[in-house]
Amino acid sequence: MSIQQTDVLYTAVATAENGRDGRVATDDGRLDVVVNPPKEMGGSGTGTNPEQLFAAGYSACFQGALGVVARQEKADISGSTVTAKVGIGKNDDGFGLIVEISASIPNVDEETARSLLKKAHEVCPYSKATRGNITVTLV
């Protein structure tokens, strides 16, 4: 379900110059990075790239969703980490993304961890935005 403009609590604003081989900065100046294609895609690999930025945002958002679910389930996720691996490759339409989300949740058993991940995947805004558009695997 979509949110309405009147329901927006915060809007991030970022501007790119020269696409994948340039610079990206937020309007508040908190993020200002050089972006370059990775060496695997023929670039210099000296800066960050959009896939790394997406992985950073997705992992942070998913960790937040995991916290929400853990509080509801009264599960201890202290010391947990979430890692997002974002791959880019050629597909029928040109290029596409694939994501793998993995988590280390040391204070719960494996069955509980899997359940928490599935529930977090249902509520995470990044997961909702990508659902049906790209393959996301939970590990």
Side-chain angles (χ1 to χ4, degrees):
M1 174 180 233
S2 298
I3 64 170
Q4 301 300 313
Q5 186 62 36
T6 55
D7 297 324
V8 172
L9 301 174
Y10 169 76
T11 300
V13 178
T15 302
E17 298 171 3
N18 296 319
R20 295 182 67 86
D21 204 1
R23 178 178 161 259
V24 176
T26 55
D27 64 337
D28 63 5
R30 292 184 184 195
L31 179 71
D32 190 339
V33 296
V34 172
V35 291
N36 301 115
K39 288 183 179 183
E40 295 85 350
M41 294 179 67
S44 68
T46 57
T48 190
N49 58 66
E51 292 71 38
Q52 289 174 324
L53 295 170
F54 186 68
Y58 203 158
S59 64
C61 188
F62 200 96
Q63 178 79 33
L66 183 62
V68 168
V69 169
R71 282 189 294 282
Q72 292 170 346
E73 301 286 321
K74 296 182 179 26
D76 179 8
I77 64 159
S78 60
S80 67
T81 59
V82 172
T83 301
K85 294 180 182 179
V86 176
I88 184 170
K90 292 184 178 182
N91 63 15
D92 294 340
D93 298 332
F95 284 88
L97 299 176
I98 189 168
V99 176
E100 178 184 289
I101 300 287
S102 61
S104 171
I105 311 173
N107 297 323
V108 300
D109 60 66
E110 188 172 333
E111 183 179 326
T112 301
R114 288 183 194 280
S115 175
L116 291 171
L117 284 181
K118 286 181 183 178
K119 290 176 181 177
H121 190 47
E122 292 302 313
V123 299
C124 173
Y126 274 63
S127 293
K128 288 179 182 180
T130 60
R131 190 167 290 120
N133 298 310
I134 64 175
T135 300
V136 177
T137 304
L138 302 177
V139 178

